[in-house]
Amino acid sequence: MTRPPNDPPPFDNPTLVAARADLVRELRRFLPEDAVLIHEEEVRPYECDGLSAYRQLPLLVVLPRTVEEVQRVLRLCHARGVPVVARGAGTGLSGGALPAPDGVLLSLARFTRILDVDPLARTARVQPGVRNLAISEAVRPHGLYYAPDPSSQIACTIGGNVAENSGGVHCLKYGLTVHNVLAIRIVTMDGEILELGGQALDSPGYDLLALFIGSEGLLGVTVEVTVRLLPIPERAQALLAAYDDVTTAAQAVGDIIAAGFIPAGLEMMDGPAIQAAEDFVHAGYPTDAAAILLCELDGTNREVSEQLAAVRDLLLAGGATEVRTARDEAERQRFWQGRKAAFPAIGRCSPDYYCMDGTIPRRRLPEVLRRTAELSDEYGLRVANVFHAGDGNMHPLILYDANQPDELARAEELGGRILELCVAVGGTITGEHGVGIEKLPQMCVQFSPEELSQFAAIKTAFDPEGLLNPGKGIPTPRRCSEYRQLPNRPSPVSSPAP
Amino acid sequence: MTRPPNDPPPFDNPTLVAARADLVRELRRFLPEDAVLIHEEEVRPYECDGLSAYRQLPLLVVLPRTVEEVQRVLRLCHARGVPVVARGAGTGLSGGALPAPDGVLLSLARFTRILDVDPLARTARVQPGVRNLAISEAVRPHGLYYAPDPSSQIACTIGGNVAENSGGVHCLKYGLTVHNVLAIRIVTMDGEILELGGQALDSPGYDLLALFIGSEGLLGVTVEVTVRLLPIPERAQALLAAYDDVTTAAQAVGDIIAAGFIPAGLEMMDGPAIQAAEDFVHAGYPTDAAAILLCELDGTNREVSEQLAAVRDLLLAGGATEVRTARDEAERQRFWQGRKAAFPAIGRCSPDYYCMDGTIPRRRLPEVLRRTAELSDEYGLRVANVFHAGDGNMHPLILYDANQPDELARAEELGGRILELCVAVGGTITGEHGVGIEKLPQMCVQFSPEELSQFAAIKTAFDPEGLLNPGKGIPTPRRCSEYRQLPNRPSPVSSPAP
């Protein structure tokens, strides 16, 4: 990955300073004082998202409160040709919310209202800045919840979830954001409002809702989201299975699915991840295991009891050294706490880490883990593995020290190799974290030039001037042809033939 | 609805005759004799689809056998500016496969091979001309099936299903085509191949797979489809409930869903539909009922037994005069036979009928049925109701006689009023039959001008010259402004606020 230089703040560039002064004057005509941030210390918190190796100060930050204010901001920027980057909570991991040095950072942080809950239709209409977990908290009195649960769910917003098509532990059974959002209201770069989707199973016209979800802020700004809610299952129960080696654990994942079970969650952690999580949150994990599986079953009491017994037998027959059922709700929560805290836990073991997000066909798990271990040796960098095993979504965490010369560059190269390995076995370069600025080179490996130019045409159909979140998501043809000419690069392949 | 004139065959127009001769010469360079149909009697069978009130002979018909031939046909037509309409089995009900008088009708009828079945991954890769039911038949030895089941499933093709995002009885529980297709290979108007989707839960880049499914042949030609297969449930059981009035039946639909059941099918038929179906296939329906519900439950033996008892109690408590459980598989099949044959059955009672396809929120069913009956009286045309009640997808069938002056026009106007009623209660103008040429005016009611121009931009992103299936799916702004100026037309509304 070629990193863009961490540019000096725009405050030193006379052209940008003039452009900014003009823009600020216009913005203040319709935005209150506290909704336009221009001082370096005010805009500093917006310089990066969760991919903190990349930092860039924006020209300025706006914090509108109403949809009309968002429209006016976008119309103004559209008229002036000023780039706009929208931002939720900034928990994204692929640099999708990295500001443009000559652009406006549009924060949706003030859109925090839950507008409407319809317990009969099982829907909630919320503003984009509402936190993922806040939705489930608000609808709990109705016995409902919102299923997609990214690890960052305590902080990340539904608007950001829409941008990234976020998943989480539960998405194996309940789907990604795209499967749990019924409708969104967006503002296009020229300030128009579009309603995408609706409550019906299908709608006429092109399916712009699915197109928009996961489009990483390149097509429009989400200003309202209608989510589908699910009844809280009567019972949820978690199993923890320990293994002497990673391959046997990976094999068990396939066994469970092949036997017809769709667990509410099916997660895997390898030795380094287990150790780190255990040291951090004391989840009660067996620290001598080479791998553990966490398997959650939910449904009616009877369903869960039956499945629990069957899955337990299957895991023991498949080589688990130990299978533990959470004794009570507190222990179930602890099992998951370890998993959800795995990233920060690993963060404590190493000065820095780099979290990857590839997806592979489940049956290739053992092979990809072996190859990842070989690459880890080759690059001399430790890799811990935490992943949504059930749907083949891997999160290898590469440990490095940014203070060592070239360690970041080596980590990034190793990360790129792992993603290209995912493509080679028929997988994809991102499961749920998006492309952002991080995976632009790998997009050139995942897609053919024809496919990439079709993506570019879609972008043009929404944002002809390319002002929304420029430089993210879709690589330029030039960037791809340069990347493909680098030594040792794989030749471009089309999406995996099914 | 303004009907386009049923143009004279292109064989009488000297300009078209010359254009055709030139095209035929070029096509025959790479297509065998039997793959280019030019004589009037050969092309006549392609003059309409299931919306047979609209007929138009194409310039010529091509029947390629390979993807490369499809690419060459499209490249040639692209170079010459010749429109292309792709066609599967021609069972569509909205005129989506109506030929263009100056264009090529591209039949995918020769793409009938099942290329690959992977029972472990539960996927099948098939050519677009494979019939919907043929997929389930082919994978039955593996204990699998393909869930979406349009009433026309014995004839309609998977390529057509992709174009229309087809549903069916089972889509309440198992989803539409878009939920059961993992990947497609398409050829764009300029002859490029794109792979959309893949086997992973999410994929990087924009979600072009969902965008393409249901795009009614306007964006590209499907040449390969990878479908998801499901395990055949251990048991399926059907209930038939009879009602003295339609409103009580409609209320019961909401009760079942609200109680947390998701039946594999939940269908409703009113008196006229019951009578017609019974006369035709002798399904054993109670012909004195004002409405019946058909409810299918599937799953494990135990699950089905439990749910059956619970749903039965619920239906009786909700005012059913009779609840009958199919005694055996033969009776279950008969219950469904009546439902699946309802359209042709009604066709026997009236010289002609016009099948509508609106979707409404379930809770508005009683009200919409009442209003439909009033409109039926107002227009002096009988309406029979058959519908996928569980997901609010209505199929009112308007009975008329095309030989009576203005009856077709009156039927179409009544149909339009019913669709606009659907929009007014927060529904949509099509559940599964698509827009085609039929519902272009209602698109102007369903969507705002901004939304329609976004659709047009998407079309341009795939087919800048507008050669693929011209005049379908998306109305031009001019057409909409004309329609909106007609007397008694509703003003344009945006998609229903959720």
Side-chain angles (χ1 to χ4, degrees):
Chain A
M1 184 186 305
T2 351
R3 292 205 301 147
N6 284 350
D7 286 340
F11 308 103
D12 301 337
N13 175 321
T15 318
L16 289 182
V17 167
R20 192 170 52 136
D22 169 61
L23 205 59
V24 168
R25 197 166 44 245
E26 294 297 321
L27 287 166
R28 291 229 161 110
R29 286 187 206 275
F30 59 90
L31 286 177
E33 185 83 13
D34 72 344
V36 186
L37 310 184
I38 53 168
H39 300 298
E40 187 165 343
E41 67 280 10
E42 292 173 324
V43 304
R44 179 68 65 195
Y46 298 89
E47 68 177 349
C48 68
D49 62 12
L51 186 70
S52 59
Y54 295 80
R55 291 166 195 271
Q56 172 61 59
L57 289 176
L59 196 60
L60 56 88
V61 175
V62 292
L63 287 145
R65 277 188 178 81
T66 67
V67 173
E68 208 207 322
E69 285 175 355
V70 172
Q71 289 182 278
R72 295 185 71 171
V73 168
L74 288 170
R75 272 194 214 116
L76 174 65
C77 291
H78 185 242
R80 308 272 160 129
V82 173
V84 175
V85 177
R87 176 187 171 105
T91 54
L93 291 166
S94 58
L98 187 77
D102 55 346
V104 167
L105 191 289
L106 170 61
S107 166
L108 280 305
R110 286 176 176 168
F111 285 80
T112 55
R113 279 190 306 134
I114 293 182
L115 301 168
D116 184 43
V117 175
D118 183 340
L120 258 184
R122 293 187 189 141
T123 58
R125 199 160 52 86
V126 306
Q127 290 191 320
V130 172
R131 291 173 305 108
N132 174 296
L133 192 59
I135 301 176
S136 291
E137 285 168 352
V139 301
R140 190 176 301 142
H142 303 292
L144 300 171
Y145 78 112
Y146 175 67
D149 55 345
S151 296
S152 58
Q153 70 177 146
I154 195 168
C156 66
T157 64
I158 188 72
N161 292 177
V162 164
E164 301 295 329
N165 192 17
S166 305
V169 161
H170 278 88
C171 71
L172 173 61
K173 183 165 181 179
Y174 297 106
L176 301 167
T177 302
V178 72
H179 307 107
N180 291 276
V181 164
L182 294 168
I184 47 180
R185 173 175 293 171
I186 68 161
V187 181
T188 54
M189 188 64 212
D190 57 357
E192 299 291 355
I193 290 181
L194 305 181
E195 307 276 350
L196 314 183
Q199 301 226 11
L201 200 50
D202 190 24
S203 54
Y206 303 120
D207 188 350
L208 301 188
L209 178 67
L211 175 68
F212 191 88
I213 295 177
S215 64
E216 305 193 15
L218 271 76
L219 305 184
V221 177
T222 303
V223 291
E224 197 178 295
V225 184
T226 303
V227 299
R228 193 158 64 106
L229 303 171
L230 296 180
I232 298 172
E234 194 177 303
R235 182 172 163 209
Q237 181 56 282
L239 285 168
L240 185 159
Y243 293 85
D244 273 348
D245 67 294
V246 173
T247 308
T248 312
Q251 186 57 48
V253 170
D255 292 348
I256 292 174
I257 306 287
F261 299 104
I262 305 191
L266 184 52
E267 300 283 308
M268 184 168 159
M269 295 166 71
D270 71 359
I274 297 167
Q275 187 70 56
E278 188 56 25
D279 289 351
F280 188 33
V281 300
H282 312 294
Y285 292 166
T287 48
D288 54 343
I292 60 170
L293 286 186
L294 290 173
C295 175
E296 181 151 303
L297 300 163
D298 68 7
T300 62
N301 203 350
R302 182 183 283 188
E303 261 179 304
V304 172
S305 297
E306 280 180 39
Q307 294 196 2
L308 209 57
V311 171
R312 198 188 156 79
D313 290 350
L314 196 146
L315 291 170
L316 286 169
T321 54
E322 180 195 358
V323 179
R324 215 188 291 167
T325 307
R327 272 160 307 192
D328 51 24
E329 179 61 16
E331 189 172 28
R332 185 183 79 87
Q333 294 282 1
R334 263 201 312 284
F335 282 179
W336 286 114
Q337 224 163 12
R339 166 62 188 85
K340 293 207 173 183
F343 292 7
I346 290 164
R348 299 189 335 145
C349 316
S350 165
D352 299 282
Y353 70 91
Y354 182 39
C355 172
M356 309 308 300
D357 169 47
T359 300
I360 56 168
R362 268 188 302 270
R363 65 183 179 285
R364 310 296 289 266
L365 263 182
E367 168 190 354
V368 170
L369 286 173
R370 197 173 51 242
R371 223 14 229 127
T372 301
E374 288 165 13
L375 285 167
S376 161
D377 286 347
E378 186 182 326
Y379 281 82
L381 293 170
R382 285 180 300 158
V383 176
N385 282 290
V386 177
F387 46 93
H388 308 310
D391 49 2
N393 184 193
M394 307 178 50
H395 290 315
L397 293 151
I398 302 170
L399 312 188
Y400 71 97
D401 180 352
N403 289 323
Q404 297 300 316
D406 93 323
E407 274 218 359
L408 171 58
R410 232 162 63 230
E412 289 182 331
E413 194 180 316
L414 169 55
R417 294 283 297 274
I418 293 174
L419 292 182
E420 287 159 18
L421 169 63
C422 291
V423 177
V425 301
T428 75
I429 58 169
T430 170
E432 54 184 10
H433 297 174
V435 173
I437 48 163
E438 183 199 21
K439 291 165 196 149
L440 288 171
Q442 282 73 40
M443 286 291 281
C444 315
V445 178
Q446 180 95 66
F447 294 104
S448 71
E450 292 76 21
E451 286 158 350
L452 290 170
S453 72
Q454 189 59 59
F455 287 149
I458 293 287
K459 167 72 169 168
T460 303
F462 278 84
D463 174 22
E465 295 82 12
L467 295 173
L468 269 173
N469 215 5
K472 316 280 176 69
I474 312 294
T476 58
R478 188 170 147 199
R479 176 147 190 183
C480 277
S481 72
E482 283 170 11
Y483 184 73
R484 288 177 185 131
Q485 280 159 23
L486 290 178
N488 303 321
R489 287 299 106 188
S491 47
V493 293
S494 193
S495 303
Chain B
M1 186 185 303
T2 350
R3 292 205 300 148
N6 284 350
D7 287 339
F11 309 103
D12 301 338
N13 175 323
T15 319
L16 289 182
V17 168
R20 193 171 52 138
D22 169 62
L23 205 60
V24 169
R25 198 166 44 244
E26 292 298 320
L27 287 166
R28 291 230 161 110
R29 285 187 206 277
F30 60 89
L31 287 176
E33 187 82 14
D34 73 343
V36 186
L37 310 184
I38 53 168
H39 299 299
E40 188 167 341
E41 67 280 10
E42 292 173 325
V43 305
R44 178 68 65 193
Y46 298 89
E47 69 178 349
C48 69
D49 61 12
L51 186 70
S52 58
Y54 295 79
R55 292 166 194 272
Q56 172 60 58
L57 290 176
L59 197 59
L60 55 88
V61 175
V62 293
L63 288 145
R65 277 190 176 79
T66 67
V67 174
E68 208 206 323
E69 285 175 355
V70 173
Q71 289 182 279
R72 294 185 72 171
V73 168
L74 288 170
R75 271 193 214 116
L76 174 64
C77 291
H78 184 243
R80 308 272 162 125
V82 173
V84 175
V85 177
R87 176 187 172 104
T91 55
L93 291 167
S94 58
L98 186 78
D102 56 345
V104 167
L105 191 290
L106 170 62
S107 165
L108 280 306
R110 288 177 174 167
F111 285 79
T112 55
R113 279 190 305 134
I114 293 181
L115 300 168
D116 184 44
V117 175
D118 182 340
L120 257 184
R122 293 188 189 138
T123 59
R125 198 158 53 87
V126 305
Q127 290 191 321
V130 172
R131 290 174 306 109
N132 173 296
L133 192 60
I135 301 176
S136 291
E137 286 168 352
V139 302
R140 190 176 300 143
H142 303 292
L144 299 171
Y145 78 113
Y146 176 66
D149 55 346
S151 296
S152 59
Q153 69 178 146
I154 195 167
C156 66
T157 63
I158 188 72
N161 291 178
V162 164
E164 302 295 329
N165 192 17
S166 306
V169 162
H170 277 88
C171 71
L172 173 62
K173 183 166 180 178
Y174 296 107
L176 301 166
T177 303
V178 70
H179 307 108
N180 291 277
V181 164
L182 294 168
I184 47 180
R185 172 175 293 171
I186 69 162
V187 181
T188 55
M189 188 64 213
D190 57 356
E192 299 292 353
I193 289 180
L194 305 181
E195 307 276 350
L196 314 183
Q199 301 227 8
L201 199 51
D202 188 25
S203 54
Y206 302 121
D207 188 349
L208 300 188
L209 177 67
L211 174 68
F212 191 88
I213 294 177
S215 65
E216 304 193 16
L218 272 77
L219 305 184
V221 176
T222 303
V223 290
E224 196 178 295
V225 184
T226 303
V227 300
R228 194 158 64 106
L229 304 171
L230 296 180
I232 297 172
E234 193 176 303
R235 181 172 163 211
Q237 180 56 280
L239 284 169
L240 184 159
Y243 292 85
D244 273 346
D245 68 292
V246 173
T247 308
T248 312
Q251 186 56 49
V253 171
D255 292 349
I256 292 174
I257 306 287
F261 298 104
I262 304 192
L266 184 52
E267 300 283 309
M268 184 167 159
M269 295 165 72
D270 71 0
I274 296 167
Q275 188 68 58
E278 188 55 26
D279 289 350
F280 187 33
V281 300
H282 312 293
Y285 292 165
T287 49
D288 54 343
I292 60 169
L293 286 186
L294 290 173
C295 176
E296 180 151 304
L297 299 163
D298 68 5
T300 63
N301 204 352
R302 181 183 286 189
E303 261 179 305
V304 172
S305 297
E306 280 180 38
Q307 294 196 1
L308 210 55
V311 171
R312 199 188 156 79
D313 291 349
L314 196 144
L315 291 170
L316 285 169
T321 54
E322 181 197 358
V323 179
R324 214 187 292 166
T325 307
R327 272 161 307 194
D328 50 25
E329 179 61 15
E331 191 172 27
R332 185 182 79 87
Q333 294 283 358
R334 263 200 314 283
F335 282 0
W336 286 114
Q337 225 163 9
R339 166 63 188 86
K340 292 208 172 183
F343 291 7
I346 290 164
R348 297 189 337 144
C349 317
S350 167
D352 299 283
Y353 70 90
Y354 182 37
C355 172
M356 309 307 301
D357 168 48
T359 299
I360 56 169
R362 265 189 303 269
R363 64 183 180 284
R364 309 296 289 267
L365 262 181
E367 168 191 353
V368 170
L369 286 174
R370 199 173 49 243
R371 229 4 236 131
T372 301
E374 288 165 11
L375 285 168
S376 161
D377 286 346
E378 184 182 327
Y379 281 82
L381 293 170
R382 284 180 301 158
V383 176
N385 283 290
V386 178
F387 44 93
H388 308 310
D391 49 3
N393 184 192
M394 306 177 51
H395 290 315
L397 292 152
I398 301 171
L399 311 189
Y400 72 97
D401 179 352
N403 289 323
Q404 297 301 317
D406 93 321
E407 275 217 359
L408 171 58
R410 234 162 63 230
E412 289 183 331
E413 194 179 318
L414 169 55
R417 293 283 296 276
I418 294 175
L419 293 182
E420 287 159 18
L421 169 63
C422 292
V423 177
V425 301
T428 76
I429 59 169
T430 171
E432 52 185 10
H433 297 174
V435 173
I437 50 163
E438 183 199 20
K439 292 167 196 146
L440 288 171
Q442 281 72 40
M443 286 292 281
C444 314
V445 178
Q446 180 95 66
F447 294 103
S448 71
E450 293 76 22
E451 287 158 350
L452 291 169
S453 72
Q454 189 59 59
F455 286 150
I458 292 288
K459 167 73 169 166
T460 304
F462 277 83
D463 174 22
E465 294 83 11
L467 295 173
L468 268 172
N469 214 5
K472 315 283 177 66
I474 311 294
T476 58
R478 188 170 146 198
R479 176 148 190 182
C480 277
S481 72
E482 282 169 11
Y483 184 73
R484 287 177 187 133
Q485 279 159 24
L486 290 178
N488 305 320
R489 287 299 106 189
S491 48
V493 294
S494 193
S495 303

PDB file of all heavy atoms in Angstrom, chain A residues 401-417:
ATOM      1  N   ASP A 401       5.375  -2.418  15.278  1.00  0.00           N
ATOM      2  CA  ASP A 401       5.772  -1.267  16.083  1.00  0.00           C
ATOM      3  C   ASP A 401       6.069  -0.130  15.118  1.00  0.00           C
ATOM      4  O   ASP A 401       7.050  -0.165  14.385  1.00  0.00           O
ATOM      5  CB  ASP A 401       7.016  -1.647  16.901  1.00  0.00           C
ATOM      6  CG  ASP A 401       7.487  -0.488  17.770  1.00  0.00           C
ATOM      7  OD1 ASP A 401       6.952   0.644  17.624  1.00  0.00           O
ATOM      8  OD2 ASP A 401       8.393  -0.708  18.598  1.00  0.00           O
ATOM      9  N   ALA A 402       5.221   0.870  15.144  1.00  0.00           N
ATOM     10  CA  ALA A 402       5.366   1.968  14.181  1.00  0.00           C
ATOM     11  C   ALA A 402       6.653   2.744  14.395  1.00  0.00           C
ATOM     12  O   ALA A 402       7.119   3.462  13.493  1.00  0.00           O
ATOM     13  CB  ALA A 402       4.166   2.910  14.271  1.00  0.00           C
ATOM     14  N   ASN A 403       7.252   2.585  15.587  1.00  0.00           N
ATOM     15  CA  ASN A 403       8.496   3.319  15.836  1.00  0.00           C
ATOM     16  C   ASN A 403       9.716   2.637  15.233  1.00  0.00           C
ATOM     17  O   ASN A 403      10.788   3.219  15.183  1.00  0.00           O
ATOM     18  CB  ASN A 403       8.697   3.511  17.350  1.00  0.00           C
ATOM     19  CG  ASN A 403       7.682   4.514  17.893  1.00  0.00           C
ATOM     20  OD1 ASN A 403       7.353   5.496  17.215  1.00  0.00           O
ATOM     21  ND2 ASN A 403       7.167   4.250  19.080  1.00  0.00           N
ATOM     22  N   GLN A 404       9.559   1.381  14.829  1.00  0.00           N
ATOM     23  CA  GLN A 404      10.642   0.696  14.125  1.00  0.00           C
ATOM     24  C   GLN A 404      10.575   1.091  12.662  1.00  0.00           C
ATOM     25  O   GLN A 404       9.515   0.965  12.049  1.00  0.00           O
ATOM     26  CB  GLN A 404      10.498  -0.823  14.236  1.00  0.00           C
ATOM     27  CG  GLN A 404      10.578  -1.374  15.636  1.00  0.00           C
ATOM     28  CD  GLN A 404      11.891  -1.049  16.304  1.00  0.00           C
ATOM     29  OE1 GLN A 404      12.961  -1.175  15.688  1.00  0.00           O
ATOM     30  NE2 GLN A 404      11.828  -0.568  17.543  1.00  0.00           N
ATOM     31  N   PRO A 405      11.702   1.550  12.112  1.00  0.00           N
ATOM     32  CA  PRO A 405      11.663   1.953  10.712  1.00  0.00           C
ATOM     33  C   PRO A 405      11.117   0.818   9.852  1.00  0.00           C
ATOM     34  O   PRO A 405      11.461  -0.340  10.076  1.00  0.00           O
ATOM     35  CB  PRO A 405      13.128   2.275  10.373  1.00  0.00           C
ATOM     36  CG  PRO A 405      13.947   1.764  11.514  1.00  0.00           C
ATOM     37  CD  PRO A 405      13.046   1.682  12.708  1.00  0.00           C
ATOM     38  N   ASP A 406      10.270   1.147   8.947  1.00  0.00           N
ATOM     39  CA  ASP A 406       9.679   0.239   7.946  1.00  0.00           C
ATOM     40  C   ASP A 406       8.753  -0.841   8.496  1.00  0.00           C
ATOM     41  O   ASP A 406       8.240  -1.649   7.738  1.00  0.00           O
ATOM     42  CB  ASP A 406      10.752  -0.369   7.020  1.00  0.00           C
ATOM     43  CG  ASP A 406      11.270  -1.722   7.513  1.00  0.00           C
ATOM     44  OD1 ASP A 406      11.403  -1.872   8.736  1.00  0.00           O
ATOM     45  OD2 ASP A 406      11.474  -2.607   6.684  1.00  0.00           O
ATOM     46  N   GLU A 407       8.481  -0.893   9.815  1.00  0.00           N
ATOM     47  CA  GLU A 407       7.584  -1.969  10.285  1.00  0.00           C
ATOM     48  C   GLU A 407       6.157  -1.755   9.789  1.00  0.00           C
ATOM     49  O   GLU A 407       5.476  -2.704   9.435  1.00  0.00           O
ATOM     50  CB  GLU A 407       7.613  -2.122  11.820  1.00  0.00           C
ATOM     51  CG  GLU A 407       8.729  -3.036  12.284  1.00  0.00           C
ATOM     52  CD  GLU A 407       8.370  -3.941  13.479  1.00  0.00           C
ATOM     53  OE1 GLU A 407       7.234  -3.876  14.009  1.00  0.00           O
ATOM     54  OE2 GLU A 407       9.242  -4.728  13.879  1.00  0.00           O
ATOM     55  N   LEU A 408       5.716  -0.488   9.756  1.00  0.00           N
ATOM     56  CA  LEU A 408       4.368  -0.236   9.250  1.00  0.00           C
ATOM     57  C   LEU A 408       4.273  -0.652   7.782  1.00  0.00           C
ATOM     58  O   LEU A 408       3.329  -1.341   7.379  1.00  0.00           O
ATOM     59  CB  LEU A 408       3.988   1.246   9.398  1.00  0.00           C
ATOM     60  CG  LEU A 408       2.688   1.648   8.698  1.00  0.00           C
ATOM     61  CD1 LEU A 408       1.484   0.842   9.179  1.00  0.00           C
ATOM     62  CD2 LEU A 408       2.403   3.145   8.875  1.00  0.00           C
ATOM     63  N   ALA A 409       5.281  -0.249   7.014  1.00  0.00           N
ATOM     64  CA  ALA A 409       5.264  -0.602   5.585  1.00  0.00           C
ATOM     65  C   ALA A 409       5.235  -2.118   5.416  1.00  0.00           C
ATOM     66  O   ALA A 409       4.515  -2.658   4.574  1.00  0.00           O
ATOM     67  CB  ALA A 409       6.488  -0.011   4.881  1.00  0.00           C
ATOM     68  N   ARG A 410       6.020  -2.823   6.247  1.00  0.00           N
ATOM     69  CA  ARG A 410       6.043  -4.292   6.156  1.00  0.00           C
ATOM     70  C   ARG A 410       4.680  -4.874   6.550  1.00  0.00           C
ATOM     71  O   ARG A 410       4.191  -5.811   5.928  1.00  0.00           O
ATOM     72  CB  ARG A 410       7.149  -4.849   7.046  1.00  0.00           C
ATOM     73  CG  ARG A 410       8.057  -5.786   6.272  1.00  0.00           C
ATOM     74  CD  ARG A 410       9.386  -6.026   6.932  1.00  0.00           C
ATOM     75  NE  ARG A 410       9.288  -6.683   8.218  1.00  0.00           N
ATOM     76  CZ  ARG A 410       9.903  -6.237   9.324  1.00  0.00           C
ATOM     77  NH1 ARG A 410      10.629  -5.138   9.282  1.00  0.00           N
ATOM     78  NH2 ARG A 410       9.780  -6.908  10.447  1.00  0.00           N
ATOM     79  N   ALA A 411       4.090  -4.294   7.608  1.00  0.00           N
ATOM     80  CA  ALA A 411       2.765  -4.771   8.047  1.00  0.00           C
ATOM     81  C   ALA A 411       1.747  -4.586   6.929  1.00  0.00           C
ATOM     82  O   ALA A 411       0.918  -5.462   6.665  1.00  0.00           O
ATOM     83  CB  ALA A 411       2.322  -4.032   9.299  1.00  0.00           C
ATOM     84  N   GLU A 412       1.813  -3.437   6.273  1.00  0.00           N
ATOM     85  CA  GLU A 412       0.855  -3.176   5.200  1.00  0.00           C
ATOM     86  C   GLU A 412       1.076  -4.120   4.020  1.00  0.00           C
ATOM     87  O   GLU A 412       0.113  -4.607   3.422  1.00  0.00           O
ATOM     88  CB  GLU A 412       0.948  -1.718   4.757  1.00  0.00           C
ATOM     89  CG  GLU A 412       0.376  -0.784   5.820  1.00  0.00           C
ATOM     90  CD  GLU A 412       0.394   0.671   5.396  1.00  0.00           C
ATOM     91  OE1 GLU A 412       1.285   1.051   4.600  1.00  0.00           O
ATOM     92  OE2 GLU A 412      -0.481   1.415   5.856  1.00  0.00           O
ATOM     93  N   GLU A 413       2.324  -4.398   3.720  1.00  0.00           N
ATOM     94  CA  GLU A 413       2.586  -5.313   2.607  1.00  0.00           C
ATOM     95  C   GLU A 413       2.093  -6.721   2.953  1.00  0.00           C
ATOM     96  O   GLU A 413       1.439  -7.376   2.142  1.00  0.00           O
ATOM     97  CB  GLU A 413       4.079  -5.317   2.264  1.00  0.00           C
ATOM     98  CG  GLU A 413       4.327  -5.977   0.921  1.00  0.00           C
ATOM     99  CD  GLU A 413       5.808  -5.993   0.536  1.00  0.00           C
ATOM    100  OE1 GLU A 413       6.487  -4.968   0.710  1.00  0.00           O
ATOM    101  OE2 GLU A 413       6.262  -7.060   0.057  1.00  0.00           O
ATOM    102  N   LEU A 414       2.371  -7.132   4.186  1.00  0.00           N
ATOM    103  CA  LEU A 414       1.879  -8.440   4.637  1.00  0.00           C
ATOM    104  C   LEU A 414       0.347  -8.483   4.560  1.00  0.00           C
ATOM    105  O   LEU A 414      -0.244  -9.460   4.084  1.00  0.00           O
ATOM    106  CB  LEU A 414       2.368  -8.713   6.067  1.00  0.00           C
ATOM    107  CG  LEU A 414       1.751  -9.903   6.805  1.00  0.00           C
ATOM    108  CD1 LEU A 414       1.892 -11.202   6.007  1.00  0.00           C
ATOM    109  CD2 LEU A 414       2.398 -10.070   8.186  1.00  0.00           C
ATOM    110  N   GLY A 415      -0.288  -7.397   5.011  1.00  0.00           N
ATOM    111  CA  GLY A 415      -1.757  -7.327   4.954  1.00  0.00           C
ATOM    112  C   GLY A 415      -2.261  -7.481   3.527  1.00  0.00           C
ATOM    113  O   GLY A 415      -3.207  -8.236   3.267  1.00  0.00           O
ATOM    114  N   GLY A 416      -1.614  -6.792   2.621  1.00  0.00           N
ATOM    115  CA  GLY A 416      -2.004  -6.885   1.209  1.00  0.00           C
ATOM    116  C   GLY A 416      -1.861  -8.310   0.688  1.00  0.00           C
ATOM    117  O   GLY A 416      -2.738  -8.822  -0.023  1.00  0.00           O
ATOM    118  N   ARG A 417      -0.755  -8.980   1.084  1.00  0.00           N
ATOM    119  CA  ARG A 417      -0.547 -10.372   0.656  1.00  0.00           C
ATOM    120  C   ARG A 417      -1.665 -11.267   1.184  1.00  0.00           C
ATOM    121  O   ARG A 417      -2.156 -12.162   0.478  1.00  0.00           O
ATOM    122  CB  ARG A 417       0.813 -10.893   1.147  1.00  0.00           C
ATOM    123  CG  ARG A 417       2.020 -10.207   0.543  1.00  0.00           C
ATOM    124  CD  ARG A 417       2.308 -10.671  -0.878  1.00  0.00           C
ATOM    125  NE  ARG A 417       2.652 -12.076  -0.973  1.00  0.00           N
ATOM    126  CZ  ARG A 417       3.885 -12.577  -0.814  1.00  0.00           C
ATOM    127  NH1 ARG A 417       4.896 -11.761  -0.567  1.00  0.00           N
ATOM    128  NH2 ARG A 417       4.113 -13.874  -0.928  1.00  0.00           N
TER     129      ARG A 417
END
